[in-house]
Amino acid sequence: QGLGRGVITVDLDGENQYPVLLDSDIIAAGATPRSGDRVTLYGRVYVLNDSIRGAWVQGAAVDEGNAEAIPQTSSFLLADSLTFN
């Protein structure tokens, strides 16, 4: 699910969504996955807190209307590589 131009969520197990911040190179390449796409992501995991969630909205990585849809996980993936399967 896309939350804006720079953040998506991935379905890990059919029930839980995990937030992924796309690297600027992925965004520039126009490689934004759509709902239902199967992808392989590589990157690093970082701590996620309310300040970071707010920065995503302020920086327009997440559309303001989707702010509440950012999963309440304690971490996120900063993806620097994305391939469609």
Side-chain angles (χ1 to χ4, degrees), residues 1-10 18-35 37 39-44 46 52 56 59-62 76-84:
Q1 174 183 356
L3 300 181
R5 67 178 179 86
V7 176
I8 62 169
T9 59
V10 293
Y18 191 77
V20 177
L21 177 64
L22 301 174
D23 183 84
S24 59
D25 290 340
I26 294 173
I27 296 168
T32 305
R34 302 196 191 295
S35 184
D37 286 347
V39 297
T40 301
L41 299 163
Y42 293 95
R44 293 184 182 254
Y46 294 93
I52 294 170
W56 287 357
V62 172
F76 72 95
L77 175 70
L78 173 56
D80 56 24
S81 174
L82 179 148
T83 42
F84 290 88

Side-chain angles (χ1 to χ4, degrees), residues 18-19 45-49 52-53 71-76:
Y18 191 77
V45 174
Y46 294 93
V47 171
L48 180 58
N49 57 37
I52 294 170
R53 287 182 186 89
Q72 294 298 310
T73 58
S74 60
S75 62
F76 72 95

